[in-house]
Amino acid sequence: ITDQLGIDLAGAGFELAILLGGIIIGGYVDETKKYKPVTLACLAATMFFVIPLGLTDHMLGNEPVLLVAALLGLGLSCGPIQPINAELAVDVTYPSDETAVESVQQVGGNLVSALMVPVAEWALNQDYEFLQNIRPLDSDIRGDVLLLFTVAAVTIVYFNTFD
């Protein structure tokens, strides 16, 4: 996917997947109140779907269908995480002000994102080869994707400690 129309359509599909994930998964969580298991499942799916986006140069990294499917899966799985946990924060802190709770969460998320920019910029220039001895699976993966994978993994470990 290198032409502008393909890039635009992939981006639009990603945004649509985020919207659908929020509606479907968010609706499920609203009914069941299963914040933690759903969040953990979304984070695990995020780890799974982010990997194909960083594969380069070899067989898997050149498959547009795989890349678009991973992008759509990533939107479906990572899109609902923030709204689900905003609702969790509001429920946990009831009867506090909903707007204040969500504002604190948004500011905290933006701060962490801003602090991660230099790390992500450094990771973007890293490239790691794996499965070199298995030719069909031989591939390189970019460091920024490994960073996203690691952030999701650390979040799963940390979030799993909560009751």
Side-chain angles (χ1 to χ4, degrees):
I1 301 172
T2 55
D3 64 313
Q4 190 59 49
L5 179 62
I7 293 168
D8 292 346
L9 290 174
F14 178 68
E15 292 294 330
L16 184 60
I18 290 171
L19 178 66
L20 288 175
I23 291 169
I24 295 167
I25 297 172
Y28 173 77
V29 171
D30 278 345
E31 280 185 29
T32 63
K33 302 297 184 197
K34 293 185 177 182
Y35 298 107
K36 183 176 179 179
V38 171
T39 298
L40 291 172
C42 285
L43 286 166
T46 296
M47 290 172 60
F48 175 77
F49 287 119
V50 78
I51 294 298
L53 299 178
L55 298 176
T56 58
D57 296 333
H58 302 289
M59 289 180 143
L60 290 176
N62 290 325
E63 291 298 324
V65 173
L66 175 66
L67 295 176
V68 171
L71 189 63
L72 297 177
L74 184 62
L76 281 168
S77 60
C78 78
I81 294 172
Q82 194 276 334
I84 288 170
N85 287 286
E87 188 64 32
L88 172 61
V90 168
D91 283 357
V92 168
T93 60
Y94 180 82
S96 66
D97 180 39
E98 181 177 336
T99 304
V101 171
E102 290 184 7
S103 296
V104 167
Q105 184 188 32
Q106 192 68 40
V107 168
N110 289 343
L111 175 62
V112 171
S113 294
L115 293 173
M116 290 293 288
V117 168
V119 178
E121 187 176 22
W122 169 82
L124 177 65
N125 297 317
Q126 307 306 309
D127 193 52
Y128 302 95
E129 188 167 351
F130 64 101
L131 301 174
Q132 323 177 45
N133 297 330
I134 307 171
R135 185 64 195 141
L137 299 177
D138 182 19
S139 197
D140 294 350
I141 191 163
R142 291 190 334 258
D144 56 337
V145 169
L146 288 178
L147 175 65
L148 291 172
F149 183 90
T150 303
V151 167
V154 168
T155 303
I156 286 174
V157 170
Y158 183 67
F159 197 77
N160 215 13
T161 65
F162 299 145
D163 286 333

PDB file of all heavy atoms in Angstrom, residues 125-143:
ATOM      1  N   ASN A 125      14.079   4.183  14.398  1.00  0.00           N
ATOM      2  CA  ASN A 125      15.290   3.942  13.611  1.00  0.00           C
ATOM      3  C   ASN A 125      15.959   2.603  13.918  1.00  0.00           C
ATOM      4  O   ASN A 125      17.013   2.304  13.368  1.00  0.00           O
ATOM      5  CB  ASN A 125      16.281   5.083  13.828  1.00  0.00           C
ATOM      6  CG  ASN A 125      15.715   6.401  13.342  1.00  0.00           C
ATOM      7  OD1 ASN A 125      15.118   6.462  12.277  1.00  0.00           O
ATOM      8  ND2 ASN A 125      15.882   7.450  14.133  1.00  0.00           N
ATOM      9  N   GLN A 126      15.353   1.813  14.804  1.00  0.00           N
ATOM     10  CA  GLN A 126      15.891   0.496  15.145  1.00  0.00           C
ATOM     11  C   GLN A 126      15.205  -0.553  14.267  1.00  0.00           C
ATOM     12  O   GLN A 126      14.054  -0.395  13.878  1.00  0.00           O
ATOM     13  CB  GLN A 126      15.649   0.180  16.617  1.00  0.00           C
ATOM     14  CG  GLN A 126      16.149   1.249  17.571  1.00  0.00           C
ATOM     15  CD  GLN A 126      17.607   1.604  17.357  1.00  0.00           C
ATOM     16  OE1 GLN A 126      18.468   0.744  17.312  1.00  0.00           O
ATOM     17  NE2 GLN A 126      17.895   2.886  17.225  1.00  0.00           N
ATOM     18  N   ASP A 127      15.906  -1.620  13.965  1.00  0.00           N
ATOM     19  CA  ASP A 127      15.372  -2.686  13.133  1.00  0.00           C
ATOM     20  C   ASP A 127      15.969  -4.000  13.625  1.00  0.00           C
ATOM     21  O   ASP A 127      17.185  -4.103  13.797  1.00  0.00           O
ATOM     22  CB  ASP A 127      15.752  -2.433  11.665  1.00  0.00           C
ATOM     23  CG  ASP A 127      14.990  -3.297  10.704  1.00  0.00           C
ATOM     24  OD1 ASP A 127      13.759  -3.318  10.785  1.00  0.00           O
ATOM     25  OD2 ASP A 127      15.632  -3.949   9.868  1.00  0.00           O
ATOM     26  N   TYR A 128      15.119  -4.987  13.868  1.00  0.00           N
ATOM     27  CA  TYR A 128      15.579  -6.255  14.426  1.00  0.00           C
ATOM     28  C   TYR A 128      15.138  -7.405  13.533  1.00  0.00           C
ATOM     29  O   TYR A 128      13.979  -7.488  13.158  1.00  0.00           O
ATOM     30  CB  TYR A 128      15.008  -6.448  15.836  1.00  0.00           C
ATOM     31  CG  TYR A 128      15.384  -5.323  16.764  1.00  0.00           C
ATOM     32  CD1 TYR A 128      14.524  -4.243  16.968  1.00  0.00           C
ATOM     33  CD2 TYR A 128      16.609  -5.317  17.412  1.00  0.00           C
ATOM     34  CE1 TYR A 128      14.873  -3.201  17.809  1.00  0.00           C
ATOM     35  CE2 TYR A 128      16.970  -4.269  18.251  1.00  0.00           C
ATOM     36  CZ  TYR A 128      16.094  -3.222  18.451  1.00  0.00           C
ATOM     37  OH  TYR A 128      16.443  -2.193  19.268  1.00  0.00           O
ATOM     38  N   GLU A 129      16.061  -8.305  13.213  1.00  0.00           N
ATOM     39  CA  GLU A 129      15.729  -9.469  12.396  1.00  0.00           C
ATOM     40  C   GLU A 129      15.475 -10.659  13.309  1.00  0.00           C
ATOM     41  O   GLU A 129      16.148 -10.850  14.316  1.00  0.00           O
ATOM     42  CB  GLU A 129      16.866  -9.793  11.428  1.00  0.00           C
ATOM     43  CG  GLU A 129      16.477 -10.863  10.435  1.00  0.00           C
ATOM     44  CD  GLU A 129      17.456 -10.984   9.277  1.00  0.00           C
ATOM     45  OE1 GLU A 129      18.342 -10.137   9.149  1.00  0.00           O
ATOM     46  OE2 GLU A 129      17.300 -11.938   8.513  1.00  0.00           O
ATOM     47  N   PHE A 130      14.454 -11.439  12.954  1.00  0.00           N
ATOM     48  CA  PHE A 130      14.152 -12.635  13.724  1.00  0.00           C
ATOM     49  C   PHE A 130      13.720 -13.766  12.799  1.00  0.00           C
ATOM     50  O   PHE A 130      13.367 -13.532  11.651  1.00  0.00           O
ATOM     51  CB  PHE A 130      13.095 -12.356  14.806  1.00  0.00           C
ATOM     52  CG  PHE A 130      11.752 -11.956  14.269  1.00  0.00           C
ATOM     53  CD1 PHE A 130      10.715 -12.871  14.208  1.00  0.00           C
ATOM     54  CD2 PHE A 130      11.508 -10.656  13.843  1.00  0.00           C
ATOM     55  CE1 PHE A 130       9.487 -12.512  13.717  1.00  0.00           C
ATOM     56  CE2 PHE A 130      10.269 -10.286  13.359  1.00  0.00           C
ATOM     57  CZ  PHE A 130       9.249 -11.225  13.287  1.00  0.00           C
ATOM     58  N   LEU A 131      13.770 -14.971  13.308  1.00  0.00           N
ATOM     59  CA  LEU A 131      13.438 -16.196  12.561  1.00  0.00           C
ATOM     60  C   LEU A 131      14.237 -16.296  11.262  1.00  0.00           C
ATOM     61  O   LEU A 131      13.721 -16.695  10.224  1.00  0.00           O
ATOM     62  CB  LEU A 131      11.931 -16.261  12.282  1.00  0.00           C
ATOM     63  CG  LEU A 131      11.021 -16.245  13.508  1.00  0.00           C
ATOM     64  CD1 LEU A 131       9.568 -16.157  13.093  1.00  0.00           C
ATOM     65  CD2 LEU A 131      11.251 -17.461  14.378  1.00  0.00           C
ATOM     66  N   GLN A 132      15.514 -15.964  11.325  1.00  0.00           N
ATOM     67  CA  GLN A 132      16.369 -15.968  10.142  1.00  0.00           C
ATOM     68  C   GLN A 132      16.543 -17.361   9.543  1.00  0.00           C
ATOM     69  O   GLN A 132      16.742 -17.500   8.339  1.00  0.00           O
ATOM     70  CB  GLN A 132      17.760 -15.431  10.458  1.00  0.00           C
ATOM     71  CG  GLN A 132      17.807 -14.324  11.431  1.00  0.00           C
ATOM     72  CD  GLN A 132      19.221 -13.909  11.722  1.00  0.00           C
ATOM     73  OE1 GLN A 132      20.030 -13.756  10.830  1.00  0.00           O
ATOM     74  NE2 GLN A 132      19.531 -13.708  12.982  1.00  0.00           N
ATOM     75  N   ASN A 133      16.462 -18.383  10.378  1.00  0.00           N
ATOM     76  CA  ASN A 133      16.701 -19.749   9.909  1.00  0.00           C
ATOM     77  C   ASN A 133      15.472 -20.405   9.270  1.00  0.00           C
ATOM     78  O   ASN A 133      15.570 -21.484   8.729  1.00  0.00           O
ATOM     79  CB  ASN A 133      17.197 -20.621  11.066  1.00  0.00           C
ATOM     80  CG  ASN A 133      18.529 -20.118  11.596  1.00  0.00           C
ATOM     81  OD1 ASN A 133      19.320 -19.542  10.847  1.00  0.00           O
ATOM     82  ND2 ASN A 133      18.758 -20.298  12.870  1.00  0.00           N
ATOM     83  N   ILE A 134      14.317 -19.752   9.368  1.00  0.00           N
ATOM     84  CA  ILE A 134      13.088 -20.266   8.769  1.00  0.00           C
ATOM     85  C   ILE A 134      12.700 -19.299   7.654  1.00  0.00           C
ATOM     86  O   ILE A 134      12.033 -18.293   7.880  1.00  0.00           O
ATOM     87  CB  ILE A 134      11.961 -20.377   9.816  1.00  0.00           C
ATOM     88  CG1 ILE A 134      12.434 -21.191  11.019  1.00  0.00           C
ATOM     89  CG2 ILE A 134      10.706 -20.993   9.191  1.00  0.00           C
ATOM     90  CD1 ILE A 134      11.481 -21.166  12.191  1.00  0.00           C
ATOM     91  N   ARG A 135      13.151 -19.576   6.448  1.00  0.00           N
ATOM     92  CA  ARG A 135      13.031 -18.628   5.329  1.00  0.00           C
ATOM     93  C   ARG A 135      11.626 -18.041   5.126  1.00  0.00           C
ATOM     94  O   ARG A 135      11.499 -16.846   4.971  1.00  0.00           O
ATOM     95  CB  ARG A 135      13.542 -19.281   4.035  1.00  0.00           C
ATOM     96  CG  ARG A 135      13.558 -18.339   2.867  1.00  0.00           C
ATOM     97  CD  ARG A 135      14.536 -17.195   3.098  1.00  0.00           C
ATOM     98  NE  ARG A 135      14.258 -16.139   2.139  1.00  0.00           N
ATOM     99  CZ  ARG A 135      14.304 -14.850   2.393  1.00  0.00           C
ATOM    100  NH1 ARG A 135      14.635 -14.424   3.578  1.00  0.00           N
ATOM    101  NH2 ARG A 135      14.051 -13.967   1.469  1.00  0.00           N
ATOM    102  N   PRO A 136      10.553 -18.831   5.160  1.00  0.00           N
ATOM    103  CA  PRO A 136       9.232 -18.215   4.939  1.00  0.00           C
ATOM    104  C   PRO A 136       8.830 -17.232   6.049  1.00  0.00           C
ATOM    105  O   PRO A 136       8.020 -16.336   5.824  1.00  0.00           O
ATOM    106  CB  PRO A 136       8.264 -19.398   4.908  1.00  0.00           C
ATOM    107  CG  PRO A 136       9.104 -20.589   4.623  1.00  0.00           C
ATOM    108  CD  PRO A 136      10.461 -20.286   5.185  1.00  0.00           C
ATOM    109  N   LEU A 137       9.391 -17.390   7.231  1.00  0.00           N
ATOM    110  CA  LEU A 137       9.051 -16.507   8.348  1.00  0.00           C
ATOM    111  C   LEU A 137      10.126 -15.471   8.640  1.00  0.00           C
ATOM    112  O   LEU A 137       9.951 -14.632   9.518  1.00  0.00           O
ATOM    113  CB  LEU A 137       8.774 -17.341   9.605  1.00  0.00           C
ATOM    114  CG  LEU A 137       7.609 -18.320   9.511  1.00  0.00           C
ATOM    115  CD1 LEU A 137       7.491 -19.122  10.793  1.00  0.00           C
ATOM    116  CD2 LEU A 137       6.309 -17.617   9.178  1.00  0.00           C
ATOM    117  N   ASP A 138      11.240 -15.543   7.933  1.00  0.00           N
ATOM    118  CA  ASP A 138      12.336 -14.599   8.128  1.00  0.00           C
ATOM    119  C   ASP A 138      11.837 -13.179   7.904  1.00  0.00           C
ATOM    120  O   ASP A 138      11.243 -12.870   6.880  1.00  0.00           O
ATOM    121  CB  ASP A 138      13.465 -14.914   7.145  1.00  0.00           C
ATOM    122  CG  ASP A 138      14.665 -14.003   7.318  1.00  0.00           C
ATOM    123  OD1 ASP A 138      14.793 -13.388   8.392  1.00  0.00           O
ATOM    124  OD2 ASP A 138      15.463 -13.914   6.376  1.00  0.00           O
ATOM    125  N   SER A 139      12.051 -12.320   8.886  1.00  0.00           N
ATOM    126  CA  SER A 139      11.550 -10.962   8.754  1.00  0.00           C
ATOM    127  C   SER A 139      12.311 -10.020   9.670  1.00  0.00           C
ATOM    128  O   SER A 139      13.008 -10.441  10.585  1.00  0.00           O
ATOM    129  CB  SER A 139      10.050 -10.922   9.095  1.00  0.00           C
ATOM    130  OG  SER A 139       9.473  -9.742   8.614  1.00  0.00           O
ATOM    131  N   ASP A 140      12.155  -8.757   9.383  1.00  0.00           N
ATOM    132  CA  ASP A 140      12.662  -7.695  10.253  1.00  0.00           C
ATOM    133  C   ASP A 140      11.458  -7.037  10.894  1.00  0.00           C
ATOM    134  O   ASP A 140      10.382  -6.992  10.317  1.00  0.00           O
ATOM    135  CB  ASP A 140      13.406  -6.628   9.447  1.00  0.00           C
ATOM    136  CG  ASP A 140      14.685  -7.146   8.818  1.00  0.00           C
ATOM    137  OD1 ASP A 140      15.098  -8.260   9.143  1.00  0.00           O
ATOM    138  OD2 ASP A 140      15.260  -6.418   7.994  1.00  0.00           O
ATOM    139  N   ILE A 141      11.668  -6.488  12.069  1.00  0.00           N
ATOM    140  CA  ILE A 141      10.597  -5.737  12.714  1.00  0.00           C
ATOM    141  C   ILE A 141      11.180  -4.431  13.216  1.00  0.00           C
ATOM    142  O   ILE A 141      12.307  -4.374  13.699  1.00  0.00           O
ATOM    143  CB  ILE A 141       9.936  -6.553  13.848  1.00  0.00           C
ATOM    144  CG1 ILE A 141       8.662  -5.857  14.316  1.00  0.00           C
ATOM    145  CG2 ILE A 141      10.895  -6.802  14.974  1.00  0.00           C
ATOM    146  CD1 ILE A 141       7.756  -6.750  15.104  1.00  0.00           C
ATOM    147  N   ARG A 142      10.403  -3.374  13.040  1.00  0.00           N
ATOM    148  CA  ARG A 142      10.860  -2.047  13.447  1.00  0.00           C
ATOM    149  C   ARG A 142      10.773  -1.885  14.960  1.00  0.00           C
ATOM    150  O   ARG A 142       9.904  -2.443  15.623  1.00  0.00           O
ATOM    151  CB  ARG A 142      10.006  -0.978  12.759  1.00  0.00           C
ATOM    152  CG  ARG A 142      10.239  -0.890  11.276  1.00  0.00           C
ATOM    153  CD  ARG A 142       9.570   0.329  10.657  1.00  0.00           C
ATOM    154  NE  ARG A 142       8.416   0.799  11.381  1.00  0.00           N
ATOM    155  CZ  ARG A 142       7.146   0.574  11.017  1.00  0.00           C
ATOM    156  NH1 ARG A 142       6.885  -0.141   9.945  1.00  0.00           N
ATOM    157  NH2 ARG A 142       6.149   1.048  11.737  1.00  0.00           N
ATOM    158  N   GLY A 143      11.657  -1.081  15.483  1.00  0.00           N
ATOM    159  CA  GLY A 143      11.719  -0.852  16.921  1.00  0.00           C
ATOM    160  C   GLY A 143      10.508  -0.142  17.486  1.00  0.00           C
ATOM    161  O   GLY A 143      10.125  -0.382  18.639  1.00  0.00           O
TER     162      GLY A 143
END
